[in-house]
Amino acid sequence: MKTVLITGASRGIGAACADAFGKAGYHVFVNYNKSEDRAERVCEKIKAEGGVCTAIQADITDRESVRRMVSLCRYHGGGLDVLVNNAGIDFYGTFEQTGPQIWDSMINTDLTGAYNVIYAALPELKNSAAGRIINVSSVWGIHGASCEVAYSAAKAGIIGLTKALAKELGPSGITVNCVAPGYIDTEMNARFDIKTVADITDRTPLSRTGTASDVAGAVLWLASAEASFVTGTVLGVDGGFM
Ligand code: NDP
């Protein structure tokens, strides 16, 4: 049975990815940091549908905790075939409001967090017949967003990491790709009022906002055999917004 580790899978896009991989027959490792109850609920749903799932707590900014998480994947699943680096936080405010603590926290979570998990998981992925790394960036990592400078910088970093690592790991048979979602209906966007969401919808050619399942579909495809010749790419999941 193939295995997948999805970071930040207690809700939103990560939970939708967990659900999709569970239905596709993977043993799903559902990582969470603080939301244990919600991660357990994600697992219960997968198990109720006949899937295999294990919830694992780890703060992706804490390297020791990440190392333990990967050891548990090895212990419970025999290794790792797919890694989905999804966990992330955002900060909305001007650059002047982005003090050093906020900046460090954004970069540590949204960029270094992905590095930490890849670094720890790479030996497992190298043992897989077809290792896959899928990182979750953002349209703002490509185009930049006003009042989201730290977030945009971290997500741009994810794109650079993806492209460079794809070149380096190609000879090991591991593909490295990322998705760049546009506006997706999750708790991360709860701060936006109805008018702002309507404006985004108006500016989206497909005339709607995205769902977590929209992103999960793209992530699952990048992990599939059909995508075995796709690496170093940034797949937009934004309804044509950009
Ligand atoms: P949510 O805020 O709904 O969920 C974030 C998840 O990340 C939670 O499961 C949370 O776990 C986890 N997380 C946060 N910090 C850590 C940490 N230090 N260690 C481990 N897990 C952590 O976000 P979304 O589902 O909306 O976003 C998921 C990803 O998609 C993020 O990387 C985000 O930047 C990206 N994205 C989202 C878009 C959107 O419009 N929603 C658009 C483009 C990209 P816990 O609750 O347990 O702490």
Side-chain angles (χ1 to χ4, degrees), residues 8-14 31-35 58-61 86-89 109 136-138 151 155 181-184 186-189:
S10 56
R11 61 173 188 263
I13 293 169
N31 160 253
Y32 65 96
N33 183 23
K34 295 175 183 155
S35 308
D59 176 350
I60 59 161
T61 67
N86 164 77
I89 55 172
T109 308
V136 179
S137 178
S138 161
Y151 183 79
K155 293 299 186 181
Y183 183 102
I184 307 297
T186 68
E187 287 168 39
M188 185 175 269
N189 287 329

Side-chain angles (χ1 to χ4, degrees), residues 77-165:
L80 274 179
D81 298 294
V82 182
L83 167 62
V84 181
N85 276 307
N86 164 77
I89 55 172
D90 70 337
F91 171 73
Y92 191 82
T94 63
F95 184 70
E96 279 103 332
Q97 288 166 342
T98 311
Q101 257 185 322
I102 294 170
W103 176 270
D104 287 349
S105 157
M106 290 300 303
I107 300 297
N108 280 341
T109 308
D110 287 5
L111 179 56
T112 309
Y115 158 80
N116 290 340
V117 185
I118 295 170
Y119 192 81
L122 194 51
E124 305 304 326
L125 295 165
K126 280 189 165 174
N127 280 336
S128 166
R132 302 289 164 93
I133 298 172
I134 300 143
N135 299 317
V136 179
S137 178
S138 161
V139 286
W140 303 136
I142 305 169
H143 299 277
S146 170
C147 293
E148 293 192 70
V149 172
Y151 183 79
S152 300
K155 293 299 186 181
I158 286 288
I159 291 172
L161 182 157
T162 299
K163 288 175 182 260
L165 198 59

Side-chain angles (χ1 to χ4, degrees), residues 22-39:
K23 286 189 175 108
Y26 284 76
H27 181 160
V28 185
F29 292 101
V30 167
N31 160 253
Y32 65 96
N33 183 23
K34 295 175 183 155
S35 308
E36 182 177 4
D37 287 357
R38 297 182 71 168

